Amino acid sequence: MISITELIKKVRYLINETEDDSGVTLITDDTRSIDDTIQELMPQAVAIVQKNSNGRYVNAKSLAGKNASLILSSDGFKSLVLPSDFVGLVSVKLDSWKVACTKVSSPSSQTVLYRLNNNLSSISSMPVCVEDVTENGTKALNLFPSCNSDTLSHFVYEASFNATEGLDMCEESMADAVSYVCAALLYNVFERYEAAKSFMSFAMALCGGNVH
């Protein structure tokens, strides 16, 4: 886990605003203000990197068993109730599946329609996760194939950023990308647009993608 304190230090280092050099500042004389602004911008920075990470871990969490909520639908299949901080699926697997599912499909996608219409939903080597919403409005994933006796083997997902938790299961290069994006956002706040553009380019190079 990478704490918010560590992330703030990373961003400060990038913009030459380390505590050791607090007497020389390029942005503001208010040291506390910089830390607060970095923390406020961090959720946005994490979200940008998650959109551009090309499948690499940014802030992944792992849930299984009692920590995840599986419910049985009226149609007889299992649904996984998604946590409130869910951003995207990394991997999910029921004990009865031979392989994990790493992609969320919409109910109208050709993959889902083809497999269900051709009775392929019962093949454990071709599982499908379909996005859904429960009766109380909570987002969920319908898991095919599944039945009443199925249990969750693992569930790993990308989560939105929470300052009290920091970054969980984050690859080092992606933590660096988050720091560069946050530095870019900070420079935008202080209207240093060329510096912001440069830092964002560094971040996207680490991600291997383009800004969304």
Side-chain angles (χ1 to χ4, degrees):
M1 192 270 284
I2 304 174
S3 69
I4 184 62
T5 301
E6 292 175 276
L7 291 169
I8 289 173
K9 287 182 178 179
K10 279 177 172 285
V11 177
R12 276 185 162 277
Y13 177 80
L14 290 176
I15 62 174
N16 295 317
E17 293 283 344
T18 61
E19 293 177 356
D20 293 338
D21 297 327
S22 58
V24 180
T25 178
L26 300 176
I27 296 180
T28 174
D29 293 330
D30 187 349
T31 301
R32 178 65 179 173
S33 161
I34 296 176
D35 290 353
D36 289 345
T37 304
I38 292 173
Q39 183 163 326
E40 290 172 2
L41 293 172
M42 194 58 65
Q44 184 181 352
V46 171
I48 290 173
V49 175
Q50 285 175 325
K51 289 180 180 179
N52 293 275
S53 63
N54 288 331
R56 284 175 284 177
Y57 290 171
V58 179
N59 187 33
K61 290 184 177 181
S62 178
L63 294 178
K66 295 180 180 180
N67 293 321
S69 179
L70 276 179
I71 59 176
L72 189 67
S73 76
S74 58
D75 295 325
F77 56 80
K78 285 290 182 75
S79 287
L80 173 63
V81 178
L82 297 177
S84 59
D85 62 350
F86 179 87
V87 172
L89 178 65
V90 175
S91 178
V92 63
K93 184 179 181 299
L94 293 176
D95 286 332
S96 63
W97 292 355
K98 293 180 180 179
V99 297
C101 185
T102 59
K103 181 181 179 181
V104 177
S105 301
S106 69
S108 60
S109 74
Q110 291 301 312
T111 299
V112 172
L113 293 176
Y114 175 78
R115 292 188 185 177
L116 297 186
N117 290 339
N118 288 277
N119 296 318
L120 295 180
S121 61
S122 61
I123 301 177
S124 60
S125 60
M126 300 178 66
V128 180
C129 298
V130 184
E131 60 186 10
D132 192 22
V133 179
T134 64
E135 292 181 356
N136 61 7
T138 303
K139 292 182 179 180
L141 296 180
N142 293 333
L143 309 177
F144 301 99
S146 59
C147 62
N148 187 37
S149 60
D150 271 322
T151 57
L152 195 65
S153 175
H154 74 253
F155 171 43
V156 183
Y157 69 98
E158 284 282 353
S160 56
F161 182 74
N162 184 322
T164 61
E165 299 176 354
L167 291 179
D168 196 10
M169 293 175 64
C170 183
E171 296 184 19
E172 185 176 352
S173 60
M174 294 298 94
D176 290 340
V178 168
S179 300
Y180 274 110
V181 170
C182 193
L185 296 174
L186 184 64
Y187 274 135
N188 272 327
V189 169
F190 292 99
E191 299 183 352
R192 297 188 59 186
Y193 302 118
E194 287 303 315
K197 183 178 179 180
S198 177
F199 274 81
M200 190 64 77
S201 295
F202 288 141
M204 292 304 105
L206 288 170
C207 292
N210 299 310
V211 179
H212 284 69

Coordinates of all heavy atoms in Angstrom, one line a residue, residues 124-209:
S124 N -18.1 -23.8 -18.3 CA -17.3 -23.2 -17.3 C -16.0 -22.6 -17.8 O -15.4 -21.8 -17.1 CB -17.0 -24.2 -16.2 OG -16.3 -25.3 -16.7
S125 N -15.6 -23.0 -19.0 CA -14.4 -22.4 -19.6 C -14.6 -21.2 -20.4 O -13.7 -20.6 -20.9 CB -13.7 -23.5 -20.5 OG -14.5 -23.9 -21.6
M126 N -15.9 -20.7 -20.4 CA -16.2 -19.5 -21.2 C -17.2 -18.6 -20.3 O -18.3 -18.3 -20.7 CB -16.9 -19.9 -22.5 CG -16.1 -20.7 -23.4 SD -16.9 -21.1 -25.0 CE -17.1 -19.5 -25.7
P127 N -16.8 -18.3 -19.1 CA -17.6 -17.5 -18.2 C -17.9 -16.1 -18.8 O -17.1 -15.5 -19.5 CB -16.9 -17.4 -16.9 CG -15.4 -17.6 -17.3 CD -15.4 -18.5 -18.5
V128 N -19.0 -15.5 -18.4 CA -19.4 -14.2 -18.8 C -19.9 -13.4 -17.6 O -20.6 -13.9 -16.8 CB -20.5 -14.2 -19.9 CG1 -20.9 -12.8 -20.3 CG2 -20.1 -15.1 -21.1
C129 N -19.4 -12.1 -17.5 CA -19.9 -11.2 -16.5 C -20.7 -10.1 -17.2 O -20.2 -9.4 -18.0 CB -18.7 -10.6 -15.8 SG -17.7 -11.8 -14.9
V130 N -22.0 -10.0 -16.8 CA -22.9 -9.0 -17.4 C -23.3 -7.9 -16.4 O -23.7 -8.2 -15.3 CB -24.1 -9.7 -18.0 CG1 -25.0 -8.7 -18.7 CG2 -23.7 -10.9 -18.9
E131 N -23.1 -6.7 -16.8 CA -23.5 -5.6 -15.9 C -24.9 -5.5 -15.7 O -25.8 -5.8 -16.5 CB -23.0 -4.3 -16.5 CG -23.5 -3.9 -17.8 CD -22.9 -2.6 -18.4 OE1 -21.9 -2.2 -17.9 OE2 -23.5 -2.1 -19.4
D132 N -25.3 -5.2 -14.4 CA -26.7 -5.2 -14.0 C -26.9 -4.2 -12.9 O -25.9 -3.7 -12.3 CB -27.1 -6.6 -13.6 CG -28.7 -6.7 -13.5 OD1 -29.4 -5.9 -14.1 OD2 -29.1 -7.6 -12.7
V133 N -28.1 -4.0 -12.5 CA -28.5 -3.1 -11.4 C -29.5 -3.9 -10.5 O -30.5 -4.4 -11.1 CB -29.0 -1.7 -11.8 CG1 -29.4 -0.9 -10.6 CG2 -28.0 -1.0 -12.7
T134 N -29.2 -4.0 -9.2 CA -30.2 -4.7 -8.4 C -31.4 -3.8 -8.1 O -31.5 -2.7 -8.6 CB -29.5 -4.9 -7.0 OG1 -29.3 -3.7 -6.3 CG2 -28.2 -5.7 -7.1
E135 N -32.4 -4.4 -7.5 CA -33.7 -3.8 -7.3 C -33.6 -2.5 -6.4 O -34.3 -1.6 -6.6 CB -34.7 -4.7 -6.5 CG -35.1 -5.9 -7.4 CD -36.1 -6.8 -6.7 OE1 -36.4 -6.5 -5.5 OE2 -36.6 -7.7 -7.3
N136 N -32.5 -2.4 -5.6 CA -32.3 -1.2 -4.8 C -31.4 -0.2 -5.4 O -30.9 0.7 -4.8 CB -31.8 -1.6 -3.4 CG -30.5 -2.3 -3.4 OD1 -29.9 -2.4 -4.5 ND2 -30.0 -2.8 -2.2
G137 N -31.1 -0.5 -6.7 CA -30.3 0.5 -7.5 C -28.8 0.3 -7.3 O -28.0 1.1 -7.9
T138 N -28.3 -0.8 -6.7 CA -26.9 -1.0 -6.6 C -26.3 -1.7 -7.8 O -27.0 -2.7 -8.4 CB -26.6 -1.9 -5.4 OG1 -27.1 -1.3 -4.2 CG2 -25.1 -2.1 -5.2
K139 N -25.2 -1.3 -8.3 CA -24.6 -2.0 -9.5 C -24.1 -3.4 -9.1 O -23.7 -3.7 -8.0 CB -23.4 -1.2 -10.0 CG -23.8 0.2 -10.6 CD -22.5 0.9 -11.1 CE -22.9 2.2 -11.8 NZ -21.7 2.9 -12.3
A140 N -24.3 -4.3 -10.1 CA -23.9 -5.7 -9.9 C -23.4 -6.3 -11.2 O -23.6 -5.8 -12.2 CB -25.1 -6.5 -9.3
L141 N -22.8 -7.5 -11.0 CA -22.4 -8.3 -12.2 C -23.2 -9.7 -12.1 O -23.1 -10.4 -11.1 CB -20.9 -8.6 -12.1 CG -20.0 -7.4 -12.3 CD1 -18.5 -7.9 -12.2 CD2 -20.2 -6.7 -13.6
N142 N -23.9 -10.0 -13.2 CA -24.5 -11.3 -13.3 C -23.5 -12.3 -13.8 O -22.8 -12.0 -14.8 CB -25.7 -11.2 -14.3 CG -26.9 -10.4 -13.7 OD1 -27.0 -10.3 -12.5 ND2 -27.7 -9.9 -14.6
L143 N -23.3 -13.4 -13.2 CA -22.2 -14.3 -13.5 C -22.8 -15.6 -14.1 O -23.6 -16.3 -13.6 CB -21.5 -14.7 -12.2 CG -21.0 -13.5 -11.3 CD1 -20.4 -14.0 -10.0 CD2 -20.0 -12.6 -12.1
F144 N -22.3 -15.8 -15.3 CA -22.7 -17.0 -16.1 C -21.5 -17.9 -16.4 O -20.5 -17.4 -16.9 CB -23.4 -16.6 -17.4 CG -24.6 -15.8 -17.2 CD1 -24.5 -14.4 -17.4 CD2 -25.8 -16.3 -16.9 CE1 -25.6 -13.6 -17.3 CE2 -27.0 -15.5 -16.8 CZ -26.9 -14.1 -17.0
P145 N -21.6 -19.2 -16.3 CA -22.7 -20.0 -15.6 C -22.5 -19.9 -14.1 O -21.4 -19.8 -13.6 CB -22.4 -21.4 -16.2 CG -20.9 -21.5 -16.3 CD -20.5 -20.1 -16.8
S146 N -23.6 -20.1 -13.4 CA -23.6 -20.1 -12.0 C -24.9 -20.8 -11.5 O -25.9 -20.8 -12.2 CB -23.4 -18.7 -11.4 OG -24.5 -17.9 -11.8
C147 N -24.8 -21.2 -10.2 CA -26.0 -21.8 -9.6 C -26.0 -21.6 -8.1 O -25.0 -20.9 -7.6 CB -26.0 -23.3 -9.9 SG -24.6 -24.2 -9.2
N148 N -26.9 -22.1 -7.4 CA -27.1 -21.8 -6.0 C -25.9 -22.2 -5.1 O -25.5 -21.6 -4.2 CB -28.3 -22.5 -5.4 CG -28.6 -22.1 -4.0 OD1 -28.4 -20.9 -3.6 ND2 -29.1 -23.0 -3.2
S149 N -25.2 -23.3 -5.5 CA -24.1 -23.8 -4.8 C -22.8 -23.1 -5.0 O -21.8 -23.4 -4.4 CB -23.9 -25.3 -5.0 OG -23.7 -25.6 -6.4
D150 N -22.7 -22.2 -6.0 CA -21.4 -21.6 -6.4 C -21.0 -20.6 -5.3 O -21.7 -19.9 -4.7 CB -21.6 -20.8 -7.7 CG -21.3 -21.6 -8.9 OD1 -20.4 -22.5 -8.9 OD2 -22.0 -21.5 -9.9
T151 N -19.6 -20.6 -5.1 CA -19.0 -19.7 -4.2 C -17.9 -18.9 -5.0 O -17.4 -19.4 -6.0 CB -18.4 -20.4 -3.0 OG1 -17.4 -21.4 -3.5 CG2 -19.4 -21.1 -2.2
L152 N -17.5 -17.8 -4.4 CA -16.6 -16.9 -5.1 C -15.2 -17.4 -4.7 O -14.8 -17.4 -3.6 CB -16.8 -15.5 -4.6 CG -16.2 -14.4 -5.4 CD1 -16.7 -14.3 -6.9 CD2 -16.4 -13.0 -4.8
S153 N -14.4 -17.6 -5.8 CA -13.0 -18.0 -5.6 C -12.1 -16.8 -5.4 O -11.3 -16.7 -4.5 CB -12.5 -18.8 -6.8 OG -11.1 -19.0 -6.7
H154 N -12.3 -15.8 -6.2 CA -11.6 -14.5 -6.0 C -12.4 -13.4 -6.8 O -13.1 -13.6 -7.7 CB -10.2 -14.5 -6.4 CG -9.9 -14.5 -7.9 ND1 -9.5 -15.7 -8.6 CD2 -10.0 -13.6 -8.9 CE1 -9.4 -15.4 -9.9 NE2 -9.7 -14.1 -10.1
F155 N -12.1 -12.1 -6.4 CA -12.7 -11.0 -7.0 C -11.7 -9.8 -6.8 O -11.5 -9.4 -5.7 CB -14.1 -10.6 -6.4 CG -14.6 -9.3 -6.8 CD1 -14.6 -8.9 -8.2 CD2 -15.2 -8.5 -5.9 CE1 -15.1 -7.7 -8.6 CE2 -15.8 -7.2 -6.3 CZ -15.7 -6.9 -7.6
V156 N -11.1 -9.4 -7.9 CA -10.1 -8.3 -7.9 C -10.7 -7.2 -8.7 O -11.1 -7.4 -9.9 CB -8.8 -8.7 -8.3 CG1 -7.8 -7.6 -8.2 CG2 -8.3 -9.9 -7.5
Y157 N -10.7 -5.9 -8.2 CA -11.2 -4.8 -9.0 C -10.4 -3.5 -8.8 O -9.8 -3.4 -7.7 CB -12.7 -4.6 -8.6 CG -12.9 -4.0 -7.2 CD1 -13.1 -2.7 -7.0 CD2 -12.9 -4.9 -6.1 CE1 -13.3 -2.2 -5.7 CE2 -13.1 -4.4 -4.8 CZ -13.3 -3.1 -4.6 OH -13.5 -2.6 -3.3
E158 N -10.5 -2.6 -9.7 CA -9.9 -1.3 -9.6 C -10.9 -0.4 -8.8 O -12.1 -0.4 -9.1 CB -9.7 -0.7 -10.9 CG -8.5 -1.2 -11.7 CD -7.2 -0.7 -11.2 OE1 -7.2 0.3 -10.3 OE2 -6.1 -1.1 -11.6
A159 N -10.4 0.2 -7.8 CA -11.2 1.0 -6.9 C -10.9 2.5 -7.0 O -9.8 2.9 -7.4 CB -11.0 0.6 -5.4
S160 N -11.9 3.3 -6.7 CA -11.6 4.8 -6.7 C -10.7 5.1 -5.5 O -10.6 4.3 -4.5 CB -13.0 5.5 -6.6 OG -13.7 5.1 -5.4
F161 N -10.1 6.2 -5.5 CA -9.1 6.6 -4.5 C -9.7 7.1 -3.2 O -10.6 7.9 -3.2 CB -8.1 7.7 -5.1 CG -7.0 8.0 -4.1 CD1 -6.0 7.2 -3.9 CD2 -7.1 9.2 -3.4 CE1 -5.0 7.5 -3.0 CE2 -6.1 9.6 -2.5 CZ -5.0 8.7 -2.3
N162 N -9.2 6.5 -2.1 CA -9.6 7.0 -0.8 C -8.3 7.3 0.0 O -7.4 6.5 0.1 CB -10.3 5.8 -0.1 CG -10.9 6.2 1.3 OD1 -10.2 7.0 2.0 ND2 -12.0 5.7 1.7
A163 N -8.2 8.6 0.4 CA -7.0 9.1 1.0 C -6.6 8.3 2.3 O -5.4 8.2 2.6 CB -7.1 10.6 1.3
T164 N -7.6 7.8 3.0 CA -7.3 7.1 4.2 C -6.7 5.7 4.0 O -6.1 5.2 4.8 CB -8.6 7.0 5.1 OG1 -9.6 6.2 4.4 CG2 -9.1 8.4 5.5
E165 N -6.9 5.2 2.8 CA -6.5 3.9 2.4 C -5.2 3.9 1.5 O -4.5 2.9 1.4 CB -7.6 3.1 1.7 CG -8.8 2.9 2.6 CD -9.9 2.2 1.9 OE1 -9.8 2.0 0.6 OE2 -10.9 1.8 2.5
G166 N -5.0 5.0 0.8 CA -3.9 5.1 -0.1 C -4.1 4.2 -1.4 O -5.3 3.9 -1.7
L167 N -3.0 3.9 -2.1 CA -3.1 3.1 -3.3 C -2.8 1.6 -2.9 O -1.8 1.3 -2.3 CB -2.1 3.5 -4.3 CG -2.4 4.8 -5.0 CD1 -1.3 5.2 -6.0 CD2 -3.8 4.8 -5.7
D168 N -3.7 0.7 -3.2 CA -3.6 -0.7 -2.8 C -3.2 -1.5 -4.1 O -3.8 -1.2 -5.2 CB -4.9 -1.2 -2.2 CG -4.7 -2.5 -1.5 OD1 -3.5 -3.0 -1.3 OD2 -5.7 -3.2 -1.1
M169 N -2.4 -2.4 -4.0 CA -2.0 -3.3 -5.1 C -1.7 -2.4 -6.4 O -2.3 -2.6 -7.4 CB -3.1 -4.3 -5.5 CG -3.2 -5.3 -4.4 SD -4.7 -6.4 -4.7 CE -4.1 -7.3 -6.2
C170 N -0.7 -1.5 -6.2 CA -0.4 -0.6 -7.3 C 1.0 -0.8 -7.8 O 2.0 -0.9 -7.1 CB -0.5 0.9 -6.8 SG -0.2 2.1 -8.1
E171 N 1.1 -1.0 -9.2 CA 2.4 -1.2 -9.8 C 3.2 0.1 -9.6 O 2.7 1.2 -9.7 CB 2.3 -1.6 -11.2 CG 1.6 -2.9 -11.4 CD 1.5 -3.4 -12.9 OE1 2.3 -2.8 -13.7 OE2 0.7 -4.2 -13.2
E172 N 4.5 -0.1 -9.4 CA 5.4 1.1 -9.2 C 5.3 2.1 -10.3 O 5.2 3.3 -10.0 CB 6.8 0.6 -9.0 CG 7.8 1.8 -8.6 CD 9.2 1.3 -8.3 OE1 9.4 0.1 -8.2 OE2 10.1 2.1 -8.1
S173 N 5.3 1.6 -11.5 CA 5.3 2.6 -12.6 C 3.9 3.3 -12.7 O 3.9 4.5 -13.1 CB 5.4 1.8 -14.0 OG 4.4 0.9 -14.2
M174 N 2.9 2.7 -12.2 CA 1.6 3.4 -12.2 C 1.5 4.4 -11.0 O 0.8 5.4 -11.2 CB 0.4 2.3 -12.1 CG 0.3 1.4 -13.3 SD -0.1 2.3 -14.8 CE 1.5 2.6 -15.5
A175 N 2.2 4.1 -9.9 CA 2.2 5.0 -8.8 C 3.0 6.3 -9.3 O 2.6 7.4 -9.0 CB 2.9 4.4 -7.6
D176 N 4.0 6.1 -10.1 CA 4.8 7.2 -10.7 C 3.9 8.0 -11.6 O 3.9 9.2 -11.6 CB 6.0 6.7 -11.4 CG 7.1 6.2 -10.5 OD1 7.0 6.5 -9.2 OD2 8.0 5.4 -10.9
A177 N 3.1 7.3 -12.4 CA 2.2 7.9 -13.3 C 1.2 8.8 -12.6 O 0.9 9.9 -13.0 CB 1.5 6.9 -14.2
V178 N 0.6 8.3 -11.5 CA -0.3 9.0 -10.7 C 0.3 10.3 -10.2 O -0.3 11.4 -10.2 CB -0.8 8.2 -9.5 CG1 -1.6 9.0 -8.5 CG2 -1.7 7.0 -10.0
S179 N 1.6 10.2 -9.7 CA 2.3 11.4 -9.2 C 2.5 12.4 -10.3 O 2.3 13.6 -10.1 CB 3.7 10.9 -8.6 OG 3.5 10.0 -7.6
Y180 N 2.9 12.0 -11.5 CA 3.0 12.9 -12.6 C 1.7 13.6 -13.0 O 1.7 14.8 -13.2 CB 3.6 12.2 -13.8 CG 5.1 12.1 -13.8 CD1 5.8 10.9 -13.6 CD2 5.9 13.2 -14.0 CE1 7.1 10.8 -13.6 CE2 7.3 13.1 -14.0 CZ 7.9 11.9 -13.8 OH 9.3 11.8 -13.9
V181 N 0.6 12.8 -13.0 CA -0.7 13.4 -13.4 C -1.1 14.4 -12.3 O -1.6 15.5 -12.6 CB -1.8 12.3 -13.5 CG1 -3.1 13.0 -13.6 CG2 -1.5 11.4 -14.7
C182 N -0.9 14.0 -11.0 CA -1.3 15.0 -10.0 C -0.4 16.2 -10.0 O -0.9 17.3 -9.8 CB -1.1 14.3 -8.6 SG -1.8 15.2 -7.2
A183 N 0.9 16.1 -10.4 CA 1.7 17.3 -10.5 C 1.2 18.2 -11.7 O 1.2 19.4 -11.6 CB 3.2 16.9 -10.8
A184 N 0.8 17.5 -12.7 CA 0.2 18.2 -13.9 C -1.0 19.0 -13.5 O -1.2 20.2 -13.9 CB -0.1 17.3 -15.0
L185 N -1.9 18.3 -12.8 CA -3.2 19.0 -12.3 C -2.8 20.1 -11.4 O -3.5 21.2 -11.4 CB -4.0 18.0 -11.6 CG -4.6 16.8 -12.5 CD1 -5.3 15.8 -11.6 CD2 -5.5 17.3 -13.6
L186 N -1.8 20.0 -10.5 CA -1.4 21.0 -9.6 C -0.9 22.2 -10.4 O -1.3 23.4 -10.1 CB -0.4 20.5 -8.7 CG 0.1 21.5 -7.6 CD1 -1.1 21.8 -6.6 CD2 1.3 20.9 -6.8
Y187 N -0.1 22.0 -11.4 CA 0.4 23.1 -12.2 C -0.7 23.8 -12.9 O -0.7 25.0 -13.1 CB 1.4 22.6 -13.2 CG 2.8 22.5 -12.7 CD1 3.6 21.4 -12.9 CD2 3.4 23.6 -12.0 CE1 4.9 21.3 -12.4 CE2 4.7 23.5 -11.5 CZ 5.5 22.4 -11.7 OH 6.7 22.3 -11.2
N188 N -1.7 23.1 -13.3 CA -2.9 23.7 -14.0 C -3.6 24.6 -13.0 O -4.1 25.7 -13.4 CB -3.9 22.6 -14.5 CG -3.6 22.2 -15.9 OD1 -3.1 22.9 -16.7 ND2 -3.9 20.9 -16.2
V189 N -3.7 24.2 -11.7 CA -4.3 25.1 -10.7 C -3.6 26.4 -10.6 O -4.3 27.5 -10.5 CB -4.3 24.4 -9.4 CG1 -4.7 25.3 -8.2 CG2 -5.3 23.2 -9.4
F190 N -2.3 26.4 -10.7 CA -1.5 27.6 -10.6 C -1.1 28.2 -12.0 O -0.2 29.0 -12.1 CB -0.2 27.3 -9.8 CG -0.5 27.0 -8.3 CD1 -0.6 25.7 -7.9 CD2 -0.8 28.0 -7.5 CE1 -0.9 25.4 -6.6 CE2 -1.1 27.8 -6.1 CZ -1.1 26.5 -5.7
E191 N -1.9 27.7 -13.0 CA -1.8 28.3 -14.4 C -0.4 28.2 -15.0 O 0.0 29.1 -15.7 CB -2.3 29.8 -14.3 CG -3.8 29.9 -13.9 CD -4.3 31.3 -13.9 OE1 -3.5 32.2 -14.2 OE2 -5.5 31.5 -13.8
R192 N 0.3 27.1 -14.7 CA 1.6 26.9 -15.3 C 1.3 25.8 -16.4 O 1.7 24.6 -16.2 CB 2.6 26.5 -14.3 CG 2.9 27.6 -13.3 CD 4.1 27.3 -12.4 NE 5.3 27.0 -13.2 CZ 6.4 26.6 -12.7 NH1 6.5 26.4 -11.4 NH2 7.5 26.4 -13.4
Y193 N 0.7 26.2 -17.5 CA 0.2 25.2 -18.4 C 1.2 24.4 -19.2 O 1.0 23.2 -19.5 CB -0.8 25.9 -19.3 CG -1.9 26.6 -18.6 CD1 -2.1 28.0 -18.7 CD2 -2.8 25.9 -17.8 CE1 -3.1 28.6 -18.0 CE2 -3.9 26.5 -17.1 CZ -4.0 27.9 -17.2 OH -5.0 28.5 -16.6
E194 N 2.3 25.0 -19.5 CA 3.4 24.3 -20.2 C 4.0 23.2 -19.4 O 4.2 22.1 -19.8 CB 4.4 25.3 -20.7 CG 4.0 26.1 -21.9 CD 3.6 25.3 -23.1 OE1 4.3 24.3 -23.4 OE2 2.5 25.7 -23.7
A195 N 4.2 23.5 -18.1 CA 4.7 22.5 -17.2 C 3.7 21.4 -17.0 O 4.1 20.2 -16.9 CB 5.1 23.2 -15.8
A196 N 2.4 21.8 -16.9 CA 1.4 20.8 -16.7 C 1.3 19.8 -17.9 O 1.2 18.6 -17.8 CB 0.0 21.5 -16.6
K197 N 1.4 20.4 -19.1 CA 1.4 19.6 -20.3 C 2.6 18.6 -20.4 O 2.4 17.4 -20.7 CB 1.4 20.5 -21.6 CG 1.4 19.7 -22.9 CD 1.3 20.7 -24.1 CE 1.3 20.0 -25.4 NZ 1.2 20.9 -26.5
S198 N 3.8 19.1 -20.0 CA 4.9 18.2 -19.9 C 4.8 17.1 -19.0 O 5.1 15.9 -19.3 CB 6.2 19.1 -19.6 OG 7.3 18.3 -19.5
F199 N 4.3 17.4 -17.8 CA 4.1 16.3 -16.8 C 3.1 15.3 -17.2 O 3.2 14.1 -16.9 CB 3.8 16.9 -15.4 CG 5.0 17.3 -14.6 CD1 5.6 18.5 -14.9 CD2 5.4 16.5 -13.6 CE1 6.7 18.9 -14.1 CE2 6.6 16.9 -12.9 CZ 7.2 18.1 -13.1
M200 N 2.0 15.8 -17.8 CA 1.0 14.8 -18.3 C 1.5 13.9 -19.4 O 1.2 12.7 -19.4 CB -0.2 15.6 -18.9 CG -1.4 14.7 -19.2 SD -2.1 13.9 -17.7 CE -3.0 15.3 -16.9
S201 N 2.4 14.4 -20.2 CA 3.1 13.6 -21.3 C 3.9 12.5 -20.6 O 3.9 11.4 -21.1 CB 3.9 14.5 -22.2 OG 3.1 15.4 -22.9
F202 N 4.7 12.9 -19.6 CA 5.4 11.9 -18.9 C 4.5 10.8 -18.3 O 4.9 9.6 -18.4 CB 6.2 12.5 -17.7 CG 7.4 13.4 -18.2 CD1 7.7 14.6 -17.5 CD2 8.2 13.0 -19.2 CE1 8.7 15.4 -17.9 CE2 9.3 13.8 -19.6 CZ 9.5 15.0 -19.0
A203 N 3.4 11.2 -17.7 CA 2.5 10.2 -17.2 C 1.9 9.3 -18.2 O 1.9 8.0 -18.0 CB 1.4 11.0 -16.4
M204 N 1.5 9.8 -19.3 CA 1.0 9.0 -20.4 C 2.0 8.0 -21.0 O 1.7 6.9 -21.5 CB 0.3 9.8 -21.5 CG -0.9 10.6 -21.0 SD -2.2 9.5 -20.3 CE -2.0 9.8 -18.5
A205 N 3.3 8.5 -21.0 CA 4.3 7.6 -21.5 C 4.5 6.4 -20.6 O 4.7 5.3 -21.1 CB 5.6 8.4 -21.6
L206 N 4.3 6.6 -19.3 CA 4.4 5.5 -18.3 C 3.2 4.6 -18.5 O 3.3 3.3 -18.4 CB 4.4 6.0 -16.9 CG 5.7 6.7 -16.4 CD1 5.5 7.4 -15.1 CD2 6.8 5.6 -16.3
C207 N 2.0 5.2 -18.8 CA 0.8 4.4 -19.0 C 0.8 3.6 -20.4 O 0.2 2.6 -20.6 CB -0.4 5.2 -19.0 SG -0.8 5.9 -17.3
G208 N 1.5 4.3 -21.3 CA 1.5 3.7 -22.7 C 0.2 4.0 -23.4 O -0.2 3.3 -24.3
G209 N -0.4 5.1 -23.0 CA -1.7 5.4 -23.6 C -1.9 6.9 -23.9 O -0.9 7.7 -23.8

